[in-house]
Amino acid sequence: MHSILPATTAFFLALSSLQVWAADLKSLIPGLYGGDGITLAPPSGPFPSHVAHFSVDSAAAINQLNNNIAAQIAVFPFPSISSGLAFEFNPDLGTFLKTPESLGPIFAERPRTTGAGKFTANLSFTSFEYNKFEGNSLNNLDAIALHDANILPPSDVHTSFELDTLDLRINLGIKAKILALAATYGVTDRFDIGVLVPYVWVNMDVRSHAQLVVSPGNPFPTAHSFGSESPDDAAHGSASGLGDILLQAKYHWLKTDTNNVAAAVLVKTETGDANNFLGTGDTTVRPYLIYARSFGAFTPHINLGYKFNLKTSDKNAIEYALGFDYGNERYTVAADVIGSRYTNGSAIGDNIINGALGVKWNPGFAKNLIVSANALFPLNNSGLRSDLITTVALEYGF
């Protein structure tokens, strides 16, 4: 263990030093059209002299759209830190033997611990593209740019030609890849500690088309037209680097052949760069309970916890996973419903529900090796979502 941990730490530190980006990804959307709004051709004829300026400031819908999306891009799905391998000491043989049970779920936790002095490492790769925001395709998002309201009195009310708007059609392409190294160490037979270190790649493309919408209340319908500024704009950016590191401790409280209960706490740190969507920019602490009931090869399980956001209580959430795993120490199928619900219930993406379906396989030539594959898919339309998130992983016990 002592030789493996420094090597893996050095590997991810080396990766983190290779972070590359030209500009913060968080600035791509509000940076459209120069970031200072859209200026149309100056009016001519009887119109008052003014610059036909349509605002894209912090109060405009385009910035609100950016804030809502930016708050959710880096909420990445990570597989369970805990090992699918469990070992128990056999006093007759004087050694540890792998327990003859299923290999457990993939995105949910199981109560079983690894075993005193045992160490497991898991390397996973997750890839996906965001497809929808609040049920709407990212290929066709709407935002409205309003005309400045200070040309005609009163300066705080839109009147006359100030009633015109620009309809912005925004096309977003957001892809993410995550290489995550997780490790679990059995401090005792009942107590595990674990860590997950992700390295994240994010690519983002933004395209926008602006269409002038003349208000029926505008007595001068020809007051605005596009001049030198194009109605179309686009931006691209990419970033890579260390994501938010996860730390976990788990205690196997009730341990029987059929009923098992564990208590755990999961800490998500804010090590990822939030301005480039590599992390969420906050630290969370989630204490939770894990219960599993075995019926031979069939083991239903439930995880139930409460996530405390240390930066803003508005993002405190109830988190849960409910499902089953079916199989043995060679083959296991796992299915789960995984959810997160903000307790204040007032934010975009406040009720995320996903389904997970995966398989685990222990090849006969290596008894301490597990190969797994999982598909994660949305079960509702809340927030920023991907139609399909795939994860493949290799785990080995030492």
Side-chain angles (χ1 to χ4, degrees):
M1 173 183 175
H2 298 292
S3 62
I4 293 173
L5 286 179
T8 54
T9 301
F11 172 71
F12 275 88
L13 287 176
L15 281 178
S16 66
S17 67
L18 299 176
Q19 297 179 359
V20 289
W21 51 75
D24 288 349
L25 297 186
K26 198 172 182 178
S27 67
L28 289 188
I29 295 177
L32 291 170
Y33 305 103
D36 58 353
I38 304 173
T39 303
L40 301 191
S44 58
F47 311 119
S49 176
H50 79 284
V51 176
H53 190 79
F54 288 78
S55 174
V56 189
D57 59 21
S58 60
I62 190 172
N63 253 37
Q64 188 59 49
L65 172 66
N66 182 67
N67 292 339
N68 289 337
I69 290 178
Q72 298 179 61
I73 288 180
V75 184
F76 300 123
F78 294 120
S80 166
I81 295 178
S82 294
S83 171
L85 297 167
F87 300 88
E88 290 185 347
F89 185 76
N90 187 312
D92 295 332
L93 299 177
T95 187
F96 283 91
L97 297 178
K98 190 172 65 172
T99 57
E101 58 183 18
S102 81
L103 301 174
I106 296 177
F107 275 86
E109 289 283 345
R110 68 174 180 174
R112 290 282 189 184
T113 46
T114 303
K118 302 302 289 184
F119 173 79
T120 63
N122 182 303
L123 186 65
S124 64
F125 181 73
T126 299
S127 178
F128 62 95
E129 179 177 5
Y130 286 112
N131 306 106
K132 294 179 180 178
F133 178 68
E134 290 292 297
N136 299 310
S137 171
L138 289 187
N139 295 328
N140 190 23
L141 296 175
D142 281 323
I144 303 296
L146 302 178
H147 193 289
D148 285 348
N150 59 359
I151 307 302
L152 299 174
S155 60
D156 59 344
V157 178
H158 291 90
T159 57
S160 188
F161 49 78
E162 295 172 347
L163 294 168
D164 289 357
T165 60
L166 288 178
D167 184 5
L168 304 177
R169 298 282 181 170
I170 299 175
N171 184 315
L172 285 180
I174 308 170
K175 297 180 180 180
K177 297 178 181 179
I178 306 163
L179 181 67
L181 177 64
T184 304
Y185 178 69
V187 180
T188 70
D189 279 340
R190 291 178 178 264
F191 182 58
D192 275 354
I193 55 174
V195 60
L196 185 147
V197 182
Y199 190 86
V200 181
W201 292 264
V202 178
N203 285 282
M204 186 170 177
D205 287 287
V206 184
R207 295 192 300 274
S208 177
H209 175 73
Q211 181 177 352
L212 177 65
V213 179
V214 178
S215 170
N218 178 6
F220 308 109
T222 60
H224 295 131
S225 63
F226 281 94
S228 59
E229 184 151 18
S230 171
D232 298 299
D233 199 9
H236 169 78
S238 62
S240 62
L242 194 66
D244 290 342
I245 294 175
L246 306 183
L247 305 171
Q248 179 170 272
K250 182 173 71 174
Y251 181 74
H252 194 170
W253 178 27
L254 174 65
K255 187 176 183 181
T256 72
D257 290 338
T258 54
N259 289 283
N260 288 275
V261 180
V265 61
L266 179 69
V267 178
K268 183 192 70 63
T269 65
E270 50 181 305
T271 48
D273 182 357
N275 288 329
N276 282 289
F277 303 140
L278 304 179
T280 61
D282 50 31
T283 297
T284 63
V285 179
R286 184 185 75 183
Y288 64 107
L289 292 174
I290 309 160
Y291 173 72
R293 173 73 163 90
S294 297
F295 298 90
F298 178 71
T299 305
H301 53 255
I302 183 170
N303 299 177
L304 181 62
Y306 191 86
K307 182 176 71 176
F308 296 90
N309 190 301
L310 302 188
K311 182 167 289 187
T312 170
S313 61
D314 287 344
K315 293 185 179 180
N316 290 350
I318 296 171
E319 298 196 332
Y320 59 89
L322 175 65
F324 69 89
D325 49 272
Y326 178 83
N328 52 42
E329 67 272 22
R330 287 294 307 278
Y331 304 95
T332 297
V333 177
D336 280 286
V337 174
I338 303 169
S340 176
R341 186 178 184 90
Y342 289 170
T343 51
N344 67 4
S346 61
I348 297 292
D350 63 352
N351 183 27
I352 302 295
I353 307 175
N354 288 316
L357 182 63
V359 295
K360 287 185 172 183
W361 172 54
N362 171 223
F365 63 84
K367 65 178 182 178
N368 290 348
L369 175 68
I370 296 178
V371 181
S372 63
N374 188 86
L376 197 71
F377 45 89
L379 296 179
N380 68 347
N381 289 324
S382 180
L384 181 67
R385 311 298 287 276
S386 172
D387 288 340
L388 181 64
I389 300 174
T390 57
T391 299
V392 293
L394 293 175
E395 179 181 339
Y396 194 81
F398 299 87

